[in-house]
Amino acid sequence: MGGGPRETIVTVLNGAGVLDAIRRDIVAGALLPGTRVTEAFLAERYGVSRVPVREALRGLEGEGFVVSQPNVGSRIAAIPFDEADDLFAVRESLEIATARRAATRARTLFDGDAPPEDWWRIRRELGAILDAGDDAVERDELDLLVDLNDRFHFLVAELSGSATLATLLRQLSRKIEWLYATDTFSRGKRLWPEHRRILAAIDAGDVDAAAERMGWHVRESRIGYAARSSPDHAEALRSARPAI
């Protein structure tokens, strides 16, 4: 049966597709910015022909993960600091909107009939994620927080009831995770407890508090990234309130 690295990659590939597999390796830092990637190299890496690789590179170029030039080939893209900060700014606004809508929806649901089952399903998942994150912090297994953090934010977007916001957040999160991978920024145990405070405000239907807490939560990640490249900008972000 083997079970070596090549077989593991192909198993992932068969489930998610060539484009998803390459994107996942870029986001994880396995394919670093500036790395030249050829169709032959990627075909060998993922155990496929060049045709799906060629299509995947076109798709990744459209998403901004790959840069291709005629007669030069393709390279993994790099994100300039100003563009990276723009991505964080967009996510900040997007997450504030999801928290505001989720709290508004909670207030409406609890003022009327019992909330629908889909609400309770998502809410139970959020509770389980928070418990798992607390356990990870207690055991100092902070690498687990990356996935748990993503799942928390995606579920809050689902709780908002807006399919559009949830889709936009998932699309944007790929780039944000890439920034974390290339910068080795860890959200760590300091920010994890904020998730319970955000969810408490949503449960209470406190729209302003949910938006405020989510805004500062995402702003802290933005500040952490900026501090490594532009300390002055990081300081300006600390002193400016998120656009609630």
Side-chain angles (χ1 to χ4, degrees), residues 185-205:
F185 174 76
S186 172
R187 281 149 284 192
K189 63 175 68 178
R190 183 175 64 86
L191 297 183
W192 182 257
E194 295 177 1
H195 292 96
R196 285 197 182 275
R197 293 192 283 272
I198 293 168
L199 191 55
I202 291 173
D203 285 344

Side-chain angles (χ1 to χ4, degrees), residues 25-239:
D25 278 351
I26 293 172
V27 170
L31 296 171
L32 295 173
T35 301
R36 183 171 180 267
V37 287
T38 65
E39 292 178 9
F41 167 75
L42 294 174
E44 172 66 22
R45 178 178 178 86
Y46 299 104
V48 296
S49 71
R50 294 191 184 190
V51 175
V53 168
R54 189 175 304 126
E55 293 301 315
L57 287 174
R58 289 174 185 161
L60 291 167
E61 185 174 9
E63 293 180 5
F65 286 97
V66 168
V67 177
S68 299
Q69 293 178 292
N71 304 318
V72 176
S74 300
R75 292 184 181 276
I76 306 302
I79 303 180
F81 171 75
D82 58 342
E83 292 185 19
D85 188 61
D86 286 344
L87 288 173
F88 276 108
V90 171
R91 179 163 189 176
E92 188 175 298
S93 297
L94 185 61
E95 297 255 32
I96 288 171
T98 64
R100 180 179 291 280
R101 285 182 62 110
T104 300
R105 187 173 178 227
R107 184 171 59 189
T108 301
L109 290 173
F110 283 96
D111 281 347
D113 296 330
E117 176 54 32
D118 75 300
W119 171 277
W120 289 117
R121 175 187 59 77
I122 297 169
R123 185 58 184 81
R124 285 192 295 269
E125 288 186 53
L126 282 164
I129 287 170
L130 292 178
D131 290 343
D134 291 346
D135 289 343
V137 170
E138 182 68 23
R139 298 192 304 270
D140 207 33
E141 296 177 351
L142 302 185
D143 56 315
L144 300 178
L145 296 183
V146 175
D147 179 61
L148 292 170
N149 179 80
D150 284 347
R151 290 167 59 195
F152 175 87
H153 287 274
F154 293 153
L155 286 171
V156 168
E158 288 187 36
L159 209 60
S160 75
S162 171
T164 299
L165 290 178
T167 299
L168 288 172
L169 182 59
R170 286 187 179 278
Q171 292 172 342
L172 188 61
S173 291
R174 294 166 180 164
K175 286 286 188 70
I176 296 293
E177 285 306 309
W178 186 21
L179 294 175
Y180 287 135
T182 57
D183 191 64
T184 64
F185 174 76
S186 172
R187 281 149 284 192
K189 63 175 68 178
R190 183 175 64 86
L191 297 183
W192 182 257
E194 295 177 1
H195 292 96
R196 285 197 182 275
R197 293 192 283 272
I198 293 168
L199 191 55
I202 291 173
D203 285 344
D206 191 334
V207 176
D208 290 339
E212 181 88 19
R213 293 172 187 178
M214 181 66 87
W216 277 112
H217 175 68
V218 180
R219 175 66 63 87
E220 284 294 325
S221 296
R222 186 180 175 189
I223 290 171
Y225 185 86
R228 289 154 177 78
S229 301
S230 178
D232 289 344
H233 184 60
E235 190 57 37
L237 289 172
R238 288 190 183 94
S239 60

